[in-house]
Amino acid sequence: MEFLYSVFSFLYQFGDAFAFLVLSACGLAVIFGMMGVINLAHGEFILCGAYVSTSVTHMGVPLPLAIIAGSVAAGIAGMIVEVAVIRPLYKRPLDTIVATWGISMIVTQGTLIVLGTTMAGSGTPFGSFSIGNYSYSVYRVVLMIMALVTLAALWLMLTKTRFGILARATIQVPHVAEALGVNTNLVYSMTFGLGAALAGLAGGLYAPTMTLVPTMGSSFMVEAFVTVVVGGADIFLGTAPAAVVLGFIKATLTSWQGQLAGQIGMLIAVIIVIRILPRGISGKILKERA
């Protein structure tokens, strides 16, 4: 029985790592992978979702509705940023690094000045359950389910809806889409807003599990970029498989040598993948299909 308890503990850690990687990376995969915008303000959209959802929760709104509110707020903020800052820089992709880095600094310091060094959290809901001598958070299981639901919903949106078709067409061949009457500026804005909303969703979902501070977005940034770089440009052929691989590496090394070893193992995996598969997992798969 002790062996089975250990196996379940490992699977739980793997599922937790997978969920964190998927939820933190989906928004970045849309903005960076699909649109080619290097968004260093990704963590601040996560921050927006976390702070808004927690504030709404403090008003007495149920947690699911508060998370939706945080995601919507981040999406609206993303659309504003796209129109005001990103739109003139699509033909200068390296300049988006400086622009989004500046936005990140402004939001972080502005939050610190206006709201202080920390915000009272809402607490982790649903309690815990025990198996053997180990105790597990029920909410972490909910996060694992939400990661799968988010991937499924994103797949349906981008492959089965008119918006998804227009978004992919606009990003791949914008001049042809515009010639066919597509409002490409609106599609760009909505796509960027979708990526920001997914980031806000991640912030809202993880807000009950974290200490809310103005710099909390940085705890998501590294693992989000690692996942997108390893996965490549395609969200479904890249981000999801990359989360599985990196989640397994992180869970294995964390259970063996602790959290630091898990983080180091992920970074080593990125170095190896970049060396062997410069276009990521999805680039390799698409090349073989071609």
Side-chain angles (χ1 to χ4, degrees):
M1 289 299 292
E2 189 63 31
F3 172 74
L4 293 178
Y5 295 154
S6 298
V7 170
F8 181 84
S9 179
F10 171 79
L11 292 176
Y12 180 88
Q13 287 185 335
F14 165 72
D16 187 35
F18 171 80
F20 185 85
L21 291 169
V22 166
L23 292 170
S24 62
C26 272
L28 187 64
V30 170
I31 294 175
F32 178 43
M34 285 182 62
M35 302 181 69
V37 175
I38 304 172
N39 180 26
L40 295 186
H42 179 68
E44 280 55 55
F45 290 121
I46 293 174
L47 171 71
C48 175
Y51 268 59
V52 170
S53 63
T54 302
S55 298
V56 173
T57 301
H58 289 164
M59 298 176 186
V61 176
L63 181 60
L65 295 179
I67 292 172
I68 293 173
S71 179
V72 170
I76 293 172
M79 294 180 71
I80 294 172
V81 167
E82 192 277 337
V83 172
V85 179
I86 303 299
R87 186 169 295 178
L89 304 178
Y90 282 123
K91 294 183 180 180
R92 296 151 53 194
L94 293 180
D95 289 351
T96 62
I97 299 175
V98 178
T100 55
W101 177 75
I103 293 170
S104 173
M105 294 295 100
I106 292 170
V107 172
T108 300
Q109 295 304 313
T111 304
L112 178 63
I113 293 170
V114 175
L115 300 178
T117 56
T118 186
M119 172 183 280
S122 58
T124 305
F126 305 137
S128 61
F129 64 97
S130 297
I131 294 181
N133 295 324
Y134 302 96
S135 180
Y136 305 94
S137 169
V138 176
Y139 188 68
R140 294 283 179 178
V141 178
V142 173
L143 292 175
M144 299 174 202
I145 296 171
M146 283 302 303
L148 297 175
V149 170
T150 300
L151 282 175
L154 193 57
W155 180 80
L156 290 172
M157 178 180 292
L158 294 178
T159 61
K160 303 297 182 180
T161 67
R162 177 176 172 80
F163 165 73
I165 295 171
L166 292 179
R168 288 184 287 120
T170 298
I171 291 165
Q172 292 173 13
V173 281
H175 57 286
V176 175
E178 191 168 6
L180 293 174
V182 177
N183 186 340
T184 54
N185 284 336
L186 178 61
V187 172
Y188 276 125
S189 183
M190 292 180 65
T191 305
F192 196 95
L194 172 63
L198 289 169
L201 176 66
L205 286 169
Y206 277 95
T209 70
M210 304 180 68
T211 301
L212 301 184
V213 295
T215 57
M216 63 174 289
S218 60
S219 63
F220 291 82
M221 278 289 289
V222 172
E223 299 194 21
F225 267 102
V226 163
T227 305
V228 173
V229 168
V230 171
D234 192 283
I235 298 174
F236 308 108
L237 295 179
T239 302
V244 171
V245 173
L246 295 174
F248 179 81
I249 293 171
K250 183 178 180 180
T252 301
L253 294 179
T254 298
S255 61
W256 177 41
Q257 289 291 333
Q259 189 74 24
L260 181 60
Q263 297 287 346
I264 294 174
M266 287 179 56
L267 295 178
I268 293 174
V270 173
I271 295 172
I272 295 173
V273 169
I274 291 175
R275 181 66 182 87
I276 300 175
L277 303 173
R279 296 178 61 190
I281 295 173
S282 64
K284 176 67 173 177
I285 295 173
L286 293 173
K287 183 179 179 179
E288 290 180 351
R289 286 185 176 181

